Amino acid sequence: MKRIALVNQRYGLEVNGGSEYYTRLIAERLTDSFEVDVITTKALEYTTWADHYKNDEEMINGVRVLRFPVAKPRAKDFNEYNGKYLRSGKYSTEAERTWFEKQGPYSPAAVDYIRQNKDRYDVFIFVTYLYYLTVTGLPEVAEKAVFIPTAHEEPYIHFKTFEKLFTLPRAYIFLTDEEKALVQGLFHCESIPCRVMGTGVELDCKPDAAAFREKFGIDGDYVIYVGRIDEGKNCPMMFRYFLEYKERRPESGLKLVLMGKQVCDIPKDKDIISLGFVSEEDKFSGIAGAKCLWLPSNFESLSISVLEAMTLSVPVIVNGVCEVLKGHCIKSNGGLYYTSYFELEGILDYIFSHDREYGIMCRNAKEYVDRNYRWDVIMKGFREVIDSI
């Protein structure tokens, strides 16, 4: 049986992050066919990278997790350094080495383990491109590396460091056609074998929208946001747009329900309801009862929350600046996208005044996920990619 290592900056049941959650979903399903280890850090919070987990090794749902200490926390001047570097427009690998160390998680011990145990594993799978473990670890084992970059158009993808890194792996797994086009267009790596495979979507529980409403005291229509409540996800813009809509539509009883860890300020308003980190059952029940799921992010490589909403027949409202999210809407006809406040206002007015079309969107959303995001098909693809190395 082949031995596989997945590498990601954070890992655990408590970790609330897109690539981290995706890594766990894949790792747990690979255990059916391979011996699976995860190489990660002891950090829980990305804002500090402080060591949180005590054990060097633990088992989580059949996956052996190897945790390594973070040698120094996220630099206090990282945001300042990052801003100056991006504004300079003069990129260099030397300056970026400092950038990656300041951003973190700076864990030379994890990279040393990858280097020293290269021959113990048949394949290394690196998930997400932007962090120290991938930038320094992948070159050590490039000839047996599968790269899942979770890339999207953002300033960092244009760093000098990535011009070489993206030419190194033995194989790629892209989450969307848009990501494949972006990466191949930027780095001319068409000769490296690749597959486009998203993530499967399945429910671990039976959603109960009525019980959710009763538990949290929510009446009437609401739209829902699921994920980290962060400036990086464009949440402040979402709040401004929502409050503007309520001011311009004073007769509307619409509410905005938030689920996820708060990292930025949330306006104090009776119609903005923040529930914090919730259970999977509450998450799915909350989505099931929503009129739509709203994702305002400019930058997404897939968005599991969008797919989870769609599998529950809940249409999505997304930021049209993000090609991946816009693509989900166009390919499914199960969502709508905006690029300005007035487009968002038009969307909200439309879904509340066109019941027939809204019902069609609900059916289209479910059919899109059933057609494109089935675990059996995705894991068959993973096994084929691994066996090709």
Side-chain angles (χ1 to χ4, degrees):
M1 183 179 286
K2 282 189 173 183
R3 191 171 189 180
I4 310 302
L6 287 94
V7 183
N8 193 287
Q9 63 275 3
R10 298 185 298 163
Y11 191 94
L13 300 177
E14 311 84 356
V15 174
N16 183 22
S19 77
E20 295 92 338
Y21 180 53
Y22 170 80
T23 300
R24 183 162 66 82
L25 294 176
I26 298 302
E28 291 174 2
R29 285 162 176 80
L30 285 175
T31 58
D32 291 342
S33 304
F34 307 102
E35 291 183 39
V36 180
D37 289 355
V38 168
I39 299 170
T40 188
T41 70
K42 293 186 175 183
L44 174 61
E45 298 292 345
Y46 78 97
T47 53
T48 64
W49 301 118
D51 286 345
H52 169 82
Y53 297 98
K54 304 302 181 186
N55 295 331
D56 297 336
E57 180 180 328
E58 64 175 313
M59 295 295 294
I60 300 178
N61 295 340
V63 177
R64 180 172 174 250
V65 181
L66 305 176
R67 300 190 184 279
F68 296 88
V70 176
K72 54 187 178 183
R74 186 172 184 141
K76 292 182 178 179
D77 68 342
F78 169 69
N79 289 337
E80 180 183 356
Y81 184 89
N82 176 53
K84 287 182 178 178
Y85 187 61
L86 293 178
R87 288 192 297 271
S88 74
K90 298 177 181 178
Y91 293 166
S92 72
T93 53
E94 187 62 34
E96 287 162 13
R97 187 176 297 112
T98 301
W99 190 96
F100 288 112
E101 290 186 10
K102 283 179 175 290
Q103 182 201 215
Y106 180 63
S107 181
V111 178
D112 288 343
Y113 178 85
I114 292 170
R115 181 187 307 111
Q116 294 163 8
N117 292 273
K118 174 180 176 179
D119 296 333
R120 294 185 64 195
Y121 297 95
D122 296 288
V123 176
F124 288 82
I125 302 175
F126 290 84
V127 185
T128 210
Y129 79 99
L130 192 56
Y131 294 97
Y132 177 86
L133 295 191
T134 295
V135 170
T136 56
L138 191 152
E140 299 287 348
V141 292
E143 69 275 17
K144 55 173 68 176
V146 175
F147 194 9
I148 309 178
T150 70
H152 41 264
E153 180 55 63
E154 59 180 342
Y156 314 114
I157 194 69
H158 300 283
F159 278 8
K160 199 76 175 171
T161 299
F162 297 127
E163 292 177 4
K164 180 177 181 181
L165 185 75
F166 276 76
T167 67
L168 296 179
R170 276 287 302 278
Y172 274 106
I173 292 176
F174 298 116
L175 302 185
T176 63
D177 293 320
E178 291 86 356
E179 182 190 12
K180 175 185 174 182
L182 172 67
V183 169
Q184 291 185 343
L186 287 174
F187 304 109
H188 309 293
C189 52
E190 293 88 347
S191 62
I192 300 175
C194 70
R195 299 283 287 270
V196 178
M197 302 185 297
T199 180
V201 181
E202 64 182 27
L203 306 183
D204 298 330
C205 57
K206 185 176 181 179
D208 189 335
F212 171 83
R213 287 179 176 276
E214 182 177 355
K215 179 177 180 178
F216 293 104
I218 298 173
D219 297 320
D221 290 317
Y222 65 90
V223 293
I224 194 165
Y225 170 85
V226 178
R228 196 171 64 247
I229 303 166
D230 191 352
E231 289 185 12
K233 294 293 185 180
N234 213 20
C235 289
M237 179 68 76
M238 175 175 66
F239 300 145
R240 289 196 294 274
Y241 280 11
F242 178 76
L243 293 174
E244 177 74 9
Y245 182 78
K246 294 300 301 252
E247 185 174 334
R248 290 171 56 83
R249 298 288 185 272
E251 74 285 358
S252 170
L254 185 65
K255 296 176 177 61
L256 172 60
V257 174
L258 311 173
M259 291 180 174
K261 181 178 176 59
Q262 179 181 345
V263 184
C264 70
D265 292 336
I266 299 173
K268 289 180 168 46
D269 187 272
K270 64 180 179 60
D271 290 328
I272 299 179
I273 303 168
S274 181
L275 304 180
F277 195 82
V278 301
S279 68
E280 288 288 285
E281 183 176 359
D282 285 340
K283 179 183 77 170
F284 288 125
S285 296
I287 294 173
K291 191 72 173 179
C292 289
L293 179 133
W294 185 357
L295 184 55
S297 176
N298 289 326
F299 308 117
E300 293 290 330
S301 55
L302 178 66
S303 181
I304 294 173
S305 65
V306 161
L307 300 180
E308 289 174 338
M310 286 182 159
T311 202
L312 289 166
S313 300
V314 175
V316 298
I317 300 171
V318 304
N319 189 335
V321 170
C322 177
E323 288 297 324
V324 168
L325 297 180
K326 179 180 175 180
H328 283 317
C329 293
I330 292 172
K331 288 180 280 190
S332 69
N333 280 323
L336 297 167
Y337 60 89
Y338 62 91
T339 57
S340 69
Y341 166 75
F342 286 106
E343 289 181 356
L344 173 72
E345 180 181 289
I347 288 171
L348 291 175
D349 287 347
Y350 183 86
I351 64 174
F352 284 109
S353 61
H354 289 72
D355 291 344
R356 177 180 172 276
E357 289 80 2
Y358 175 79
I360 293 171
M361 287 173 61
C362 292
R363 293 192 293 275
N364 288 345
K366 178 73 162 63
E367 290 171 2
Y368 174 67
V369 174
D370 290 345
R371 191 167 60 245
N372 294 287
Y373 296 97
R374 289 170 39 209
W375 272 121
D376 57 341
V377 175
I378 289 166
M379 296 317 297
K380 179 176 181 289
F382 262 94
R383 289 191 291 271
E384 291 172 352
V385 170
I386 290 169
D387 287 337
S388 73
I389 304 298

